[in-house]
Amino acid sequence: MLGLPSPTGCVSAIQIPFSQAVCGTLVRRYKRFLADVRLDQVESTRNADNLVTAHCPNPGAMTGYVQPGTRVVLTKASEGSKRKLLYTWEIALTHV
């Protein structure tokens, strides 16, 4: 279970079931289905700046959600997955 992201951190009291969730900051979204995200925690020694490319399953404009600096939650594919992209963008945090 992972809590919903909050402005001060990645987790709050509301629980949602993502077993492989990681938090980060959106760098950019491009080509409708791709997003570059800087992860909060180091996932690999190969990537010193913690920048990963994630699949964005929503091909729409997502106006208001795609601003650089938006806090996002990604899920990581399971070990042995044959996906081209290891991460999927699941949640974007906006301030209402």
Side-chain angles (χ1 to χ4, degrees):
M1 298 289 271
L2 174 77
L4 207 57
S6 68
T8 56
C10 186
V11 183
S12 73
I14 301 170
Q15 298 293 310
I16 54 175
F18 289 127
S19 60
Q20 299 293 324
V22 292
C23 299
T25 303
L26 181 67
V27 175
R28 70 181 182 132
R29 178 180 177 226
Y30 55 102
K31 295 185 180 179
R32 292 178 50 199
F33 293 102
L34 303 175
D36 288 341
V37 176
R38 187 169 318 281
L39 300 179
D40 291 349
Q41 297 179 344
V42 176
E43 288 285 315
S44 169
T45 56
R46 294 176 290 164
N47 190 355
D49 62 356
N50 290 342
L51 193 64
V52 298
T53 300
H55 174 252
C56 179
N58 183 343
M62 293 177 61
T63 305
Y65 298 99
V66 295
Q67 301 302 319
T70 299
R71 298 287 295 148
V72 298
V73 176
L74 309 177
T75 53
K76 188 174 181 179
S78 60
E79 293 291 324
S81 174
K82 295 184 179 184
R83 293 177 42 165
K84 289 185 179 182
L85 297 174
L86 189 57
Y87 296 92
T88 300
W89 180 357
E90 301 289 353
I91 300 171
L93 173 67
T94 60
H95 301 282
V96 184

